[in-house]
Amino acid sequence: MVKYKEDWYKLYHVHYQQYPDDCIENIYWLEKAAQADFCNPQFLDFKLTSEKEWEKYRYLFQMHINLKLIEQHLRLGRTYDKKEVYFYDAPFKDQYLSNLEKCLTCYKAGLYYWQEAKIWAEKANEAKFNFLFITDKQNWEDERERIKSGQLDYQKMLEREISRIENNITKLKEMDQNY
């Protein structure tokens, strides 16, 4: 039975060839994981020894789920993305506009999840956790540290992509039948 955050997260998986349906499926599992309750710490895949570790684990897990949601929205958006608009795209303007709108929606959703990830990373960066590291989840600790140092900044990337998509939409809308 799938009931807890950890159970929903186990359903998330990345395919070798990721199609839009695969991304949508993963977004569904990750959304369910974000909303679910945590399981009892004694049922985790590793051992936690204090309430402080349990608290930090929960913050890191929420941060990690939001980062994975960003990645999935980026993958989904990429399938609809037209990197550059050319003069010969005019006959297909409506199809491209429809796809770019879908792409824009995906990238903007990523911005929401980035704000959430930053909030959870800040909670995991509190002073009381300064010398506490969950070594069994080292990749989550690395993500937290990269957010803290600014090396991982999805906002900058997403805003750049959103701006490019909006410019492409503008170019396509300016094209007429005689273009």
Side-chain angles (χ1 to χ4, degrees):
M1 184 168 107
V2 179
K3 184 175 181 181
Y4 298 109
K5 220 175 255 308
E6 292 80 2
D7 298 329
W8 286 109
Y9 182 71
K10 285 178 186 174
L11 294 172
Y12 159 78
H13 57 286
V14 178
H15 299 273
Y16 177 70
Q17 182 69 35
Q18 190 113 18
Y19 295 107
D21 287 346
D22 301 323
C23 292
I24 292 168
E25 176 188 0
N26 278 334
I27 289 169
Y28 177 77
W29 299 137
L30 291 167
E31 283 285 344
K32 286 291 199 179
Q35 296 165 2
D37 292 331
F38 287 94
C39 72
N40 190 308
Q42 67 183 347
F43 300 121
L44 294 176
D45 298 343
F46 60 97
K47 186 173 176 113
L48 292 175
T49 56
S50 69
E51 288 183 39
K52 212 169 166 181
E53 283 181 338
W54 172 236
E55 183 181 1
K56 186 171 184 182
Y57 163 77
R58 292 181 311 207
Y59 296 155
L60 288 174
F61 197 179
Q62 285 294 110
M63 175 203 69
H64 180 70
I65 286 173
N66 281 290
L67 290 175
K68 290 299 170 192
L69 279 162
I70 295 167
E71 289 174 15
Q72 289 302 307
H73 278 86
L74 283 169
R75 284 185 176 160
L76 183 59
R78 229 176 295 149
T79 61
Y80 300 108
D81 196 348
K82 175 142 179 63
K83 298 288 183 192
E84 189 66 39
V85 174
Y86 300 101
F87 67 93
Y88 51 78
D89 292 332
F92 314 106
K93 176 175 122 174
D94 294 335
Q95 293 91 338
Y96 286 140
L97 282 172
S98 174
N99 284 344
L100 287 175
E101 289 296 333
K102 291 176 191 173
C103 179
L104 192 59
T105 301
C106 291
Y107 291 167
K108 285 184 177 180
L111 279 176
Y112 167 78
Y113 293 115
W114 174 244
Q115 297 307 317
E116 288 291 310
K118 284 194 325 189
I119 289 168
W120 292 108
E122 285 174 22
K123 289 182 179 187
N125 281 326
E126 289 179 9
K128 65 183 176 182
F129 300 127
N130 276 351
F131 297 101
L132 175 66
F133 300 100
I134 302 175
T135 54
D136 288 301
K137 296 295 180 183
Q138 187 61 49
N139 60 324
W140 296 0
E141 290 280 4
D142 292 345
E143 289 170 346
R144 176 198 54 78
E145 187 59 35
R146 288 177 61 216
I147 290 171
K148 179 181 175 186
S149 69
Q151 288 178 328
L152 179 61
D153 187 0
Y154 276 117
Q155 182 167 354
K156 186 188 299 183
M157 184 191 67
L158 286 165
E159 286 176 349
R160 181 187 67 230
E161 294 300 312
I162 288 169
S163 174
R164 182 182 54 76
I165 296 295
E166 288 173 342
N167 287 339
N168 284 347
I169 289 172
T170 303
K171 285 180 190 176
L172 282 168
K173 286 183 177 177
E174 290 172 352
M175 291 181 182
D176 62 0
Q177 294 172 326
N178 301 322
Y179 200 83

